[in-house]
Amino acid sequence: MATNIDKVLKLVDMLLRSGKLLRAKKVLLENLQTYPRNTKLTELLASIYVVEGDSDGALELLKAVSNSPDISLESYCDLGLLFLKKEELDEALYCFEKAIEKFKESFEAHFYFALALAGKKQYQQAVQQFMVARELNPLSAEVHYNLGRAYDAMDRFLEACNYYKASIDLDPSFNKARVNLGLALHQLGKFQDALDAYKAALDIDANFHDAWLNMGTTLHEMHQMEDALKAYDQALKINPNSEIARWNRAQIDLTLGNFERGWDGYEYRAYGLHSNLEKYPLIPKAKNINDLIGKKILVWHEQGYGDTIQFSRFIKKLGNLNCQVTLLVPPILLSIMSSLGGCEVRSEINESDAFDYQLPLMSLPKLLSIDPTACEMITPYLNVDPMIVAQWVDKLNVDKNQVNIGLAVSGSALHAKNSKRTIRLSDIETILPMGRFYLLQKELNAVDKTYLNTRSEIVFCGELVENFQDTAAILKSMDMVISVDTSLAHLSGALNIKTLLLLPWVAEWRWQEKNESTVWYQNTILCRQDASGDWGSAVKKAELSISKVALRS
């Protein structure tokens, strides 16, 4: 004999099937007044809240019955997914674990559990759970796609490619998998295959923003700058608000010398570099050059040491506006940057300090409408006390009767693109007989440490220097500097020391393309790779330049 609850459930089911959502909701609310602990009524009401977009209401209802012995698999999973949506990952994991305990053969429980583990960045455990889900449903394109994403996150790009391909085989319309396949192929250096993946996605959906966006990235890496620009333009046509497309396009614009649009796009670096451009929200941000006339201005560093050194040269241009400038720099740069002139250089400000306007240092070129090819870029613009230089000459026993060369073969391991700007110390072995080398970087990997112990021509100075003024003093005692793209290259350039800058096949925008000289530093020679990964060609160019210096000596 049917109970009253059974009749209610049957009525609600009928209402839901006929699309009468509000009527079903009213029936459930009324009956929950009478049966407040009934699990089925609560689950149905929660499902309506989910449809209505009331996630918080659904969450509270499902939490109330989460320990009920007759809770359904769907409710366990819905509760976990609601926690996932709120990024409460531990609670989500608990729900999916409970679901697996009760429903061991549930594909959904294992799949969602794996998603939560991936959200916690526990990728190896996530892979294990995705594999269980795959055994339960081997035809799921989503499982294979998420296996690819997990392997991607572990930088295991070949395995990621295999699972993305399997996902596409199971569902040829799965365009997200095609784009992710392209990204993984890009990481493997298979650029043409990556382009083919993006083109296949666009054949299905010509307005797929991410396919155009990532195609631009791959074309950039292939040195096809104009085609990359077209891809980014197409991405922006589809989504004019795409910050990352504007940022990516800006880097190519600046590389090609399109400075006006490039500086505009560079203001989107918060999305590409995750820079905090709102560091001082209580101080008005300068948006117009007229804002600065006769005012007190705070200009603050936001990116790496090299960026700060390179862009600090524009501080002096603010002097023409009769404004009082305070430049905020990292403490390690304070002593050398104090030689800049035209501003007060500090490493911190106080709450009592009053400023009319503020702006990040890297926004100066846009504000000042800088075209570095059309204005005089004078060097040196930093200096170091000759007495400090003499002290370091004695400390390092620098012999002025030979060619002395400052050296950096890698930068900070934390830099996002450090792998592209790092060579092995042994890669410069052919030039070691040409002088005495002073290795000026702070960090040294295990392979380079081992090699260093076999080479008496190289003096490691990394443990001796405490700040950039120390480094500058050593540089001033050198005949030249050889460096990959690190802050050392910018410091030597700002000091107007002859610098051989070793660059990858696709260098950062500031070094533009193909040219051997740079508008930024008159005494710097760009030694570029002839092909991707070919450091030997860059070192050979540096070797030729050293020979000329040695002959003059």
PDB file of all heavy atoms in Angstrom, residues 144-145 147-149 151-152 156-169 177-178 180-190 193-194 197:
ATOM      1  N   HIS A 144      39.517  10.341 -20.686  1.00  0.00           N
ATOM      2  CA  HIS A 144      40.790  10.393 -21.405  1.00  0.00           C
ATOM      3  C   HIS A 144      41.308  11.834 -21.487  1.00  0.00           C
ATOM      4  O   HIS A 144      42.510  12.079 -21.350  1.00  0.00           O
ATOM      5  CB  HIS A 144      40.617   9.802 -22.800  1.00  0.00           C
ATOM      6  CG  HIS A 144      40.415   8.312 -22.787  1.00  0.00           C
ATOM      7  ND1 HIS A 144      39.179   7.732 -22.590  1.00  0.00           N
ATOM      8  CD2 HIS A 144      41.301   7.288 -22.915  1.00  0.00           C
ATOM      9  CE1 HIS A 144      39.300   6.425 -22.621  1.00  0.00           C
ATOM     10  NE2 HIS A 144      40.575   6.119 -22.808  1.00  0.00           N
ATOM     11  N   TYR A 145      40.397  12.761 -21.678  1.00  0.00           N
ATOM     12  CA  TYR A 145      40.779  14.179 -21.724  1.00  0.00           C
ATOM     13  C   TYR A 145      41.394  14.616 -20.395  1.00  0.00           C
ATOM     14  O   TYR A 145      42.444  15.283 -20.368  1.00  0.00           O
ATOM     15  CB  TYR A 145      39.545  15.022 -22.043  1.00  0.00           C
ATOM     16  CG  TYR A 145      39.727  16.514 -21.885  1.00  0.00           C
ATOM     17  CD1 TYR A 145      40.467  17.241 -22.799  1.00  0.00           C
ATOM     18  CD2 TYR A 145      39.131  17.199 -20.823  1.00  0.00           C
ATOM     19  CE1 TYR A 145      40.620  18.622 -22.669  1.00  0.00           C
ATOM     20  CE2 TYR A 145      39.287  18.569 -20.686  1.00  0.00           C
ATOM     21  CZ  TYR A 145      40.021  19.277 -21.607  1.00  0.00           C
ATOM     22  OH  TYR A 145      40.169  20.629 -21.469  1.00  0.00           O
ATOM     23  N   LEU A 147      42.727  12.695 -18.109  1.00  0.00           N
ATOM     24  CA  LEU A 147      44.019  12.025 -17.939  1.00  0.00           C
ATOM     25  C   LEU A 147      45.107  12.836 -18.645  1.00  0.00           C
ATOM     26  O   LEU A 147      46.204  13.029 -18.107  1.00  0.00           O
ATOM     27  CB  LEU A 147      43.958  10.609 -18.517  1.00  0.00           C
ATOM     28  CG  LEU A 147      43.451   9.525 -17.570  1.00  0.00           C
ATOM     29  CD1 LEU A 147      43.081   8.268 -18.337  1.00  0.00           C
ATOM     30  CD2 LEU A 147      44.501   9.205 -16.508  1.00  0.00           C
ATOM     31  N   GLY A 148      44.783  13.321 -19.854  1.00  0.00           N
ATOM     32  CA  GLY A 148      45.742  14.169 -20.560  1.00  0.00           C
ATOM     33  C   GLY A 148      46.084  15.412 -19.767  1.00  0.00           C
ATOM     34  O   GLY A 148      47.253  15.800 -19.663  1.00  0.00           O
ATOM     35  N   ARG A 149      45.081  16.044 -19.167  1.00  0.00           N
ATOM     36  CA  ARG A 149      45.325  17.260 -18.385  1.00  0.00           C
ATOM     37  C   ARG A 149      46.205  16.960 -17.163  1.00  0.00           C
ATOM     38  O   ARG A 149      47.074  17.765 -16.797  1.00  0.00           O
ATOM     39  CB  ARG A 149      43.999  17.859 -17.929  1.00  0.00           C
ATOM     40  CG  ARG A 149      43.165  18.430 -19.060  1.00  0.00           C
ATOM     41  CD  ARG A 149      41.931  19.126 -18.527  1.00  0.00           C
ATOM     42  NE  ARG A 149      42.292  20.314 -17.770  1.00  0.00           N
ATOM     43  CZ  ARG A 149      41.453  20.969 -16.975  1.00  0.00           C
ATOM     44  NH1 ARG A 149      40.217  20.521 -16.803  1.00  0.00           N
ATOM     45  NH2 ARG A 149      41.842  22.048 -16.341  1.00  0.00           N
ATOM     46  N   TYR A 151      48.455  14.529 -16.851  1.00  0.00           N
ATOM     47  CA  TYR A 151      49.834  14.318 -17.308  1.00  0.00           C
ATOM     48  C   TYR A 151      50.466  15.630 -17.768  1.00  0.00           C
ATOM     49  O   TYR A 151      51.658  15.862 -17.575  1.00  0.00           O
ATOM     50  CB  TYR A 151      49.864  13.285 -18.438  1.00  0.00           C
ATOM     51  CG  TYR A 151      49.808  11.860 -17.921  1.00  0.00           C
ATOM     52  CD1 TYR A 151      48.721  11.033 -18.186  1.00  0.00           C
ATOM     53  CD2 TYR A 151      50.846  11.339 -17.148  1.00  0.00           C
ATOM     54  CE1 TYR A 151      48.662   9.737 -17.707  1.00  0.00           C
ATOM     55  CE2 TYR A 151      50.813  10.044 -16.656  1.00  0.00           C
ATOM     56  CZ  TYR A 151      49.711   9.242 -16.941  1.00  0.00           C
ATOM     57  OH  TYR A 151      49.671   7.975 -16.449  1.00  0.00           O
ATOM     58  N   ASP A 152      49.672  16.507 -18.376  1.00  0.00           N
ATOM     59  CA  ASP A 152      50.139  17.848 -18.722  1.00  0.00           C
ATOM     60  C   ASP A 152      50.689  18.565 -17.491  1.00  0.00           C
ATOM     61  O   ASP A 152      51.763  19.178 -17.532  1.00  0.00           O
ATOM     62  CB  ASP A 152      48.965  18.674 -19.273  1.00  0.00           C
ATOM     63  CG  ASP A 152      49.135  19.003 -20.743  1.00  0.00           C
ATOM     64  OD1 ASP A 152      50.262  18.894 -21.249  1.00  0.00           O
ATOM     65  OD2 ASP A 152      48.134  19.361 -21.379  1.00  0.00           O
ATOM     66  N   ARG A 156      54.432  15.723 -18.317  1.00  0.00           N
ATOM     67  CA  ARG A 156      54.620  14.463 -19.046  1.00  0.00           C
ATOM     68  C   ARG A 156      53.798  14.574 -20.337  1.00  0.00           C
ATOM     69  O   ARG A 156      52.738  13.994 -20.491  1.00  0.00           O
ATOM     70  CB  ARG A 156      54.205  13.283 -18.171  1.00  0.00           C
ATOM     71  CG  ARG A 156      55.144  13.100 -16.988  1.00  0.00           C
ATOM     72  CD  ARG A 156      54.615  12.195 -15.911  1.00  0.00           C
ATOM     73  NE  ARG A 156      54.399  10.828 -16.345  1.00  0.00           N
ATOM     74  CZ  ARG A 156      54.045   9.847 -15.530  1.00  0.00           C
ATOM     75  NH1 ARG A 156      53.895  10.088 -14.222  1.00  0.00           N
ATOM     76  NH2 ARG A 156      53.845   8.623 -15.990  1.00  0.00           N
ATOM     77  N   PHE A 157      54.349  15.366 -21.259  1.00  0.00           N
ATOM     78  CA  PHE A 157      53.573  15.816 -22.402  1.00  0.00           C
ATOM     79  C   PHE A 157      53.305  14.719 -23.425  1.00  0.00           C
ATOM     80  O   PHE A 157      52.269  14.742 -24.095  1.00  0.00           O
ATOM     81  CB  PHE A 157      54.271  17.010 -23.056  1.00  0.00           C
ATOM     82  CG  PHE A 157      54.456  18.164 -22.116  1.00  0.00           C
ATOM     83  CD1 PHE A 157      55.722  18.566 -21.711  1.00  0.00           C
ATOM     84  CD2 PHE A 157      53.352  18.843 -21.608  1.00  0.00           C
ATOM     85  CE1 PHE A 157      55.887  19.623 -20.838  1.00  0.00           C
ATOM     86  CE2 PHE A 157      53.508  19.898 -20.734  1.00  0.00           C
ATOM     87  CZ  PHE A 157      54.777  20.285 -20.348  1.00  0.00           C
ATOM     88  N   LEU A 158      54.208  13.757 -23.565  1.00  0.00           N
ATOM     89  CA  LEU A 158      53.985  12.674 -24.513  1.00  0.00           C
ATOM     90  C   LEU A 158      52.777  11.832 -24.100  1.00  0.00           C
ATOM     91  O   LEU A 158      51.919  11.497 -24.931  1.00  0.00           O
ATOM     92  CB  LEU A 158      55.237  11.803 -24.627  1.00  0.00           C
ATOM     93  CG  LEU A 158      55.201  10.712 -25.692  1.00  0.00           C
ATOM     94  CD1 LEU A 158      54.973  11.322 -27.082  1.00  0.00           C
ATOM     95  CD2 LEU A 158      56.499   9.902 -25.688  1.00  0.00           C
ATOM     96  N   GLU A 159      52.703  11.506 -22.799  1.00  0.00           N
ATOM     97  CA  GLU A 159      51.549  10.750 -22.310  1.00  0.00           C
ATOM     98  C   GLU A 159      50.274  11.579 -22.424  1.00  0.00           C
ATOM     99  O   GLU A 159      49.202  11.061 -22.766  1.00  0.00           O
ATOM    100  CB  GLU A 159      51.787  10.331 -20.853  1.00  0.00           C
ATOM    101  CG  GLU A 159      52.849   9.260 -20.718  1.00  0.00           C
ATOM    102  CD  GLU A 159      53.579   9.336 -19.381  1.00  0.00           C
ATOM    103  OE1 GLU A 159      54.222  10.380 -19.136  1.00  0.00           O
ATOM    104  OE2 GLU A 159      53.497   8.368 -18.617  1.00  0.00           O
ATOM    105  N   ALA A 160      50.398  12.881 -22.166  1.00  0.00           N
ATOM    106  CA  ALA A 160      49.240  13.770 -22.309  1.00  0.00           C
ATOM    107  C   ALA A 160      48.720  13.715 -23.739  1.00  0.00           C
ATOM    108  O   ALA A 160      47.506  13.612 -23.971  1.00  0.00           O
ATOM    109  CB  ALA A 160      49.611  15.195 -21.925  1.00  0.00           C
ATOM    110  N   CYS A 161      49.625  13.778 -24.720  1.00  0.00           N
ATOM    111  CA  CYS A 161      49.218  13.719 -26.128  1.00  0.00           C
ATOM    112  C   CYS A 161      48.445  12.441 -26.430  1.00  0.00           C
ATOM    113  O   CYS A 161      47.423  12.469 -27.130  1.00  0.00           O
ATOM    114  CB  CYS A 161      50.446  13.794 -27.035  1.00  0.00           C
ATOM    115  SG  CYS A 161      51.175  15.435 -27.168  1.00  0.00           S
ATOM    116  N   ASN A 162      48.938  11.332 -25.908  1.00  0.00           N
ATOM    117  CA  ASN A 162      48.289  10.045 -26.187  1.00  0.00           C
ATOM    118  C   ASN A 162      46.849  10.031 -25.679  1.00  0.00           C
ATOM    119  O   ASN A 162      45.948   9.514 -26.360  1.00  0.00           O
ATOM    120  CB  ASN A 162      49.087   8.905 -25.558  1.00  0.00           C
ATOM    121  CG  ASN A 162      50.435   8.696 -26.238  1.00  0.00           C
ATOM    122  OD1 ASN A 162      50.596   9.030 -27.418  1.00  0.00           O
ATOM    123  ND2 ASN A 162      51.400   8.159 -25.519  1.00  0.00           N
ATOM    124  N   TYR A 163      46.619  10.586 -24.505  1.00  0.00           N
ATOM    125  CA  TYR A 163      45.262  10.573 -23.955  1.00  0.00           C
ATOM    126  C   TYR A 163      44.364  11.599 -24.648  1.00  0.00           C
ATOM    127  O   TYR A 163      43.158  11.354 -24.831  1.00  0.00           O
ATOM    128  CB  TYR A 163      45.296  10.789 -22.450  1.00  0.00           C
ATOM    129  CG  TYR A 163      45.697   9.524 -21.727  1.00  0.00           C
ATOM    130  CD1 TYR A 163      46.944   9.392 -21.124  1.00  0.00           C
ATOM    131  CD2 TYR A 163      44.831   8.428 -21.681  1.00  0.00           C
ATOM    132  CE1 TYR A 163      47.325   8.220 -20.502  1.00  0.00           C
ATOM    133  CE2 TYR A 163      45.201   7.249 -21.053  1.00  0.00           C
ATOM    134  CZ  TYR A 163      46.450   7.147 -20.472  1.00  0.00           C
ATOM    135  OH  TYR A 163      46.818   5.982 -19.847  1.00  0.00           O
ATOM    136  N   TYR A 164      44.922  12.745 -25.046  1.00  0.00           N
ATOM    137  CA  TYR A 164      44.110  13.695 -25.815  1.00  0.00           C
ATOM    138  C   TYR A 164      43.678  13.069 -27.144  1.00  0.00           C
ATOM    139  O   TYR A 164      42.529  13.235 -27.583  1.00  0.00           O
ATOM    140  CB  TYR A 164      44.889  14.985 -26.076  1.00  0.00           C
ATOM    141  CG  TYR A 164      45.110  15.838 -24.847  1.00  0.00           C
ATOM    142  CD1 TYR A 164      46.339  16.444 -24.598  1.00  0.00           C
ATOM    143  CD2 TYR A 164      44.076  16.055 -23.930  1.00  0.00           C
ATOM    144  CE1 TYR A 164      46.544  17.231 -23.480  1.00  0.00           C
ATOM    145  CE2 TYR A 164      44.277  16.841 -22.805  1.00  0.00           C
ATOM    146  CZ  TYR A 164      45.512  17.422 -22.587  1.00  0.00           C
ATOM    147  OH  TYR A 164      45.700  18.203 -21.474  1.00  0.00           O
ATOM    148  N   LYS A 165      44.599  12.358 -27.792  1.00  0.00           N
ATOM    149  CA  LYS A 165      44.258  11.702 -29.053  1.00  0.00           C
ATOM    150  C   LYS A 165      43.178  10.644 -28.844  1.00  0.00           C
ATOM    151  O   LYS A 165      42.254  10.516 -29.674  1.00  0.00           O
ATOM    152  CB  LYS A 165      45.515  11.062 -29.663  1.00  0.00           C
ATOM    153  CG  LYS A 165      46.509  12.074 -30.206  1.00  0.00           C
ATOM    154  CD  LYS A 165      47.789  11.391 -30.691  1.00  0.00           C
ATOM    155  CE  LYS A 165      48.808  12.408 -31.189  1.00  0.00           C
ATOM    156  NZ  LYS A 165      50.083  11.754 -31.587  1.00  0.00           N
ATOM    157  N   ALA A 166      43.287   9.897 -27.747  1.00  0.00           N
ATOM    158  CA  ALA A 166      42.267   8.880 -27.452  1.00  0.00           C
ATOM    159  C   ALA A 166      40.915   9.532 -27.213  1.00  0.00           C
ATOM    160  O   ALA A 166      39.868   9.013 -27.643  1.00  0.00           O
ATOM    161  CB  ALA A 166      42.690   8.059 -26.232  1.00  0.00           C
ATOM    162  N   SER A 167      40.927  10.681 -26.554  1.00  0.00           N
ATOM    163  CA  SER A 167      39.690  11.415 -26.297  1.00  0.00           C
ATOM    164  C   SER A 167      39.037  11.848 -27.608  1.00  0.00           C
ATOM    165  O   SER A 167      37.810  11.723 -27.786  1.00  0.00           O
ATOM    166  CB  SER A 167      39.989  12.635 -25.423  1.00  0.00           C
ATOM    167  OG  SER A 167      38.834  13.415 -25.229  1.00  0.00           O
ATOM    168  N   ILE A 168      39.869  12.331 -28.531  1.00  0.00           N
ATOM    169  CA  ILE A 168      39.351  12.772 -29.833  1.00  0.00           C
ATOM    170  C   ILE A 168      38.828  11.591 -30.636  1.00  0.00           C
ATOM    171  O   ILE A 168      37.800  11.686 -31.326  1.00  0.00           O
ATOM    172  CB  ILE A 168      40.448  13.531 -30.603  1.00  0.00           C
ATOM    173  CG1 ILE A 168      40.807  14.818 -29.860  1.00  0.00           C
ATOM    174  CG2 ILE A 168      40.007  13.839 -32.033  1.00  0.00           C
ATOM    175  CD1 ILE A 168      42.108  15.450 -30.310  1.00  0.00           C
ATOM    176  N   ASP A 169      39.511  10.442 -30.572  1.00  0.00           N
ATOM    177  CA  ASP A 169      39.044   9.241 -31.269  1.00  0.00           C
ATOM    178  C   ASP A 169      37.659   8.829 -30.771  1.00  0.00           C
ATOM    179  O   ASP A 169      36.809   8.395 -31.559  1.00  0.00           O
ATOM    180  CB  ASP A 169      40.031   8.089 -31.067  1.00  0.00           C
ATOM    181  CG  ASP A 169      41.334   8.301 -31.839  1.00  0.00           C
ATOM    182  OD1 ASP A 169      41.327   9.111 -32.790  1.00  0.00           O
ATOM    183  OD2 ASP A 169      42.338   7.662 -31.486  1.00  0.00           O
ATOM    184  N   ALA A 177      39.830  19.057 -26.441  1.00  0.00           N
ATOM    185  CA  ALA A 177      40.915  18.073 -26.460  1.00  0.00           C
ATOM    186  C   ALA A 177      41.897  18.386 -27.584  1.00  0.00           C
ATOM    187  O   ALA A 177      43.111  18.197 -27.434  1.00  0.00           O
ATOM    188  CB  ALA A 177      40.338  16.665 -26.617  1.00  0.00           C
ATOM    189  N   ARG A 178      41.376  18.868 -28.730  1.00  0.00           N
ATOM    190  CA  ARG A 178      42.275  19.225 -29.833  1.00  0.00           C
ATOM    191  C   ARG A 178      43.194  20.389 -29.452  1.00  0.00           C
ATOM    192  O   ARG A 178      44.383  20.390 -29.767  1.00  0.00           O
ATOM    193  CB  ARG A 178      41.460  19.586 -31.074  1.00  0.00           C
ATOM    194  CG  ARG A 178      40.927  18.379 -31.814  1.00  0.00           C
ATOM    195  CD  ARG A 178      40.399  18.767 -33.197  1.00  0.00           C
ATOM    196  NE  ARG A 178      40.084  17.561 -33.949  1.00  0.00           N
ATOM    197  CZ  ARG A 178      38.941  16.902 -33.841  1.00  0.00           C
ATOM    198  NH1 ARG A 178      38.011  17.345 -33.013  1.00  0.00           N
ATOM    199  NH2 ARG A 178      38.725  15.801 -34.540  1.00  0.00           N
ATOM    200  N   ASN A 180      44.087  21.291 -26.390  1.00  0.00           N
ATOM    201  CA  ASN A 180      45.057  20.829 -25.396  1.00  0.00           C
ATOM    202  C   ASN A 180      46.114  19.931 -26.017  1.00  0.00           C
ATOM    203  O   ASN A 180      47.278  19.949 -25.597  1.00  0.00           O
ATOM    204  CB  ASN A 180      44.334  20.099 -24.259  1.00  0.00           C
ATOM    205  CG  ASN A 180      43.747  21.060 -23.255  1.00  0.00           C
ATOM    206  OD1 ASN A 180      43.347  22.159 -23.605  1.00  0.00           O
ATOM    207  ND2 ASN A 180      43.691  20.675 -21.998  1.00  0.00           N
ATOM    208  N   LEU A 181      45.718  19.144 -27.028  1.00  0.00           N
ATOM    209  CA  LEU A 181      46.699  18.349 -27.761  1.00  0.00           C
ATOM    210  C   LEU A 181      47.722  19.278 -28.412  1.00  0.00           C
ATOM    211  O   LEU A 181      48.937  19.028 -28.347  1.00  0.00           O
ATOM    212  CB  LEU A 181      45.991  17.506 -28.823  1.00  0.00           C
ATOM    213  CG  LEU A 181      46.898  16.755 -29.811  1.00  0.00           C
ATOM    214  CD1 LEU A 181      47.805  15.772 -29.067  1.00  0.00           C
ATOM    215  CD2 LEU A 181      46.063  16.024 -30.871  1.00  0.00           C
ATOM    216  N   GLY A 182      47.238  20.365 -29.008  1.00  0.00           N
ATOM    217  CA  GLY A 182      48.158  21.331 -29.604  1.00  0.00           C
ATOM    218  C   GLY A 182      49.124  21.912 -28.595  1.00  0.00           C
ATOM    219  O   GLY A 182      50.326  22.045 -28.865  1.00  0.00           O
ATOM    220  N   LEU A 183      48.617  22.235 -27.416  1.00  0.00           N
ATOM    221  CA  LEU A 183      49.476  22.798 -26.367  1.00  0.00           C
ATOM    222  C   LEU A 183      50.552  21.805 -25.934  1.00  0.00           C
ATOM    223  O   LEU A 183      51.715  22.181 -25.724  1.00  0.00           O
ATOM    224  CB  LEU A 183      48.623  23.204 -25.167  1.00  0.00           C
ATOM    225  CG  LEU A 183      47.744  24.441 -25.357  1.00  0.00           C
ATOM    226  CD1 LEU A 183      46.742  24.562 -24.209  1.00  0.00           C
ATOM    227  CD2 LEU A 183      48.596  25.696 -25.439  1.00  0.00           C
ATOM    228  N   ALA A 184      50.163  20.534 -25.789  1.00  0.00           N
ATOM    229  CA  ALA A 184      51.140  19.516 -25.374  1.00  0.00           C
ATOM    230  C   ALA A 184      52.181  19.297 -26.472  1.00  0.00           C
ATOM    231  O   ALA A 184      53.380  19.142 -26.185  1.00  0.00           O
ATOM    232  CB  ALA A 184      50.417  18.214 -25.032  1.00  0.00           C
ATOM    233  N   LEU A 185      51.743  19.266 -27.729  1.00  0.00           N
ATOM    234  CA  LEU A 185      52.687  19.122 -28.840  1.00  0.00           C
ATOM    235  C   LEU A 185      53.639  20.319 -28.893  1.00  0.00           C
ATOM    236  O   LEU A 185      54.839  20.165 -29.180  1.00  0.00           O
ATOM    237  CB  LEU A 185      51.909  19.014 -30.155  1.00  0.00           C
ATOM    238  CG  LEU A 185      51.158  17.686 -30.362  1.00  0.00           C
ATOM    239  CD1 LEU A 185      50.148  17.816 -31.497  1.00  0.00           C
ATOM    240  CD2 LEU A 185      52.140  16.547 -30.643  1.00  0.00           C
ATOM    241  N   HIS A 186      53.128  21.506 -28.600  1.00  0.00           N
ATOM    242  CA  HIS A 186      53.974  22.703 -28.537  1.00  0.00           C
ATOM    243  C   HIS A 186      55.075  22.510 -27.490  1.00  0.00           C
ATOM    244  O   HIS A 186      56.248  22.822 -27.742  1.00  0.00           O
ATOM    245  CB  HIS A 186      53.110  23.915 -28.190  1.00  0.00           C
ATOM    246  CG  HIS A 186      53.871  25.199 -28.069  1.00  0.00           C
ATOM    247  ND1 HIS A 186      53.793  26.200 -29.013  1.00  0.00           N
ATOM    248  CD2 HIS A 186      54.740  25.661 -27.124  1.00  0.00           C
ATOM    249  CE1 HIS A 186      54.574  27.203 -28.660  1.00  0.00           C
ATOM    250  NE2 HIS A 186      55.149  26.905 -27.504  1.00  0.00           N
ATOM    251  N   GLN A 187      54.702  21.996 -26.330  1.00  0.00           N
ATOM    252  CA  GLN A 187      55.687  21.780 -25.262  1.00  0.00           C
ATOM    253  C   GLN A 187      56.752  20.770 -25.676  1.00  0.00           C
ATOM    254  O   GLN A 187      57.889  20.834 -25.216  1.00  0.00           O
ATOM    255  CB  GLN A 187      54.984  21.316 -23.988  1.00  0.00           C
ATOM    256  CG  GLN A 187      54.106  22.357 -23.332  1.00  0.00           C
ATOM    257  CD  GLN A 187      54.898  23.512 -22.765  1.00  0.00           C
ATOM    258  OE1 GLN A 187      56.086  23.391 -22.496  1.00  0.00           O
ATOM    259  NE2 GLN A 187      54.244  24.652 -22.588  1.00  0.00           N
ATOM    260  N   LEU A 188      56.379  19.847 -26.555  1.00  0.00           N
ATOM    261  CA  LEU A 188      57.333  18.844 -27.038  1.00  0.00           C
ATOM    262  C   LEU A 188      58.186  19.379 -28.190  1.00  0.00           C
ATOM    263  O   LEU A 188      59.059  18.682 -28.699  1.00  0.00           O
ATOM    264  CB  LEU A 188      56.583  17.591 -27.500  1.00  0.00           C
ATOM    265  CG  LEU A 188      55.926  16.746 -26.398  1.00  0.00           C
ATOM    266  CD1 LEU A 188      55.012  15.696 -27.004  1.00  0.00           C
ATOM    267  CD2 LEU A 188      56.989  16.091 -25.521  1.00  0.00           C
ATOM    268  N   GLY A 189      57.913  20.639 -28.590  1.00  0.00           N
ATOM    269  CA  GLY A 189      58.664  21.223 -29.690  1.00  0.00           C
ATOM    270  C   GLY A 189      58.168  20.785 -31.059  1.00  0.00           C
ATOM    271  O   GLY A 189      58.812  21.064 -32.074  1.00  0.00           O
ATOM    272  N   LYS A 190      57.010  20.122 -31.100  1.00  0.00           N
ATOM    273  CA  LYS A 190      56.433  19.673 -32.375  1.00  0.00           C
ATOM    274  C   LYS A 190      55.450  20.742 -32.858  1.00  0.00           C
ATOM    275  O   LYS A 190      54.231  20.572 -32.819  1.00  0.00           O
ATOM    276  CB  LYS A 190      55.750  18.315 -32.189  1.00  0.00           C
ATOM    277  CG  LYS A 190      56.721  17.218 -31.757  1.00  0.00           C
ATOM    278  CD  LYS A 190      56.014  15.866 -31.613  1.00  0.00           C
ATOM    279  CE  LYS A 190      57.009  14.764 -31.242  1.00  0.00           C
ATOM    280  NZ  LYS A 190      56.356  13.438 -31.127  1.00  0.00           N
ATOM    281  N   ASP A 193      52.947  20.046 -35.826  1.00  0.00           N
ATOM    282  CA  ASP A 193      51.868  19.158 -35.374  1.00  0.00           C
ATOM    283  C   ASP A 193      50.886  19.924 -34.485  1.00  0.00           C
ATOM    284  O   ASP A 193      49.674  19.681 -34.539  1.00  0.00           O
ATOM    285  CB  ASP A 193      52.439  17.963 -34.605  1.00  0.00           C
ATOM    286  CG  ASP A 193      53.204  17.001 -35.515  1.00  0.00           C
ATOM    287  OD1 ASP A 193      52.965  17.034 -36.740  1.00  0.00           O
ATOM    288  OD2 ASP A 193      54.029  16.217 -35.000  1.00  0.00           O
ATOM    289  N   ALA A 194      51.410  20.846 -33.676  1.00  0.00           N
ATOM    290  CA  ALA A 194      50.539  21.670 -32.833  1.00  0.00           C
ATOM    291  C   ALA A 194      49.625  22.525 -33.700  1.00  0.00           C
ATOM    292  O   ALA A 194      48.414  22.618 -33.460  1.00  0.00           O
ATOM    293  CB  ALA A 194      51.373  22.541 -31.905  1.00  0.00           C
ATOM    294  N   ALA A 197      46.812  20.559 -35.059  1.00  0.00           N
ATOM    295  CA  ALA A 197      45.760  20.312 -34.063  1.00  0.00           C
ATOM    296  C   ALA A 197      44.833  21.518 -33.949  1.00  0.00           C
ATOM    297  O   ALA A 197      43.604  21.377 -33.891  1.00  0.00           O
ATOM    298  CB  ALA A 197      46.381  19.978 -32.712  1.00  0.00           C
TER     299      ALA A 197
END
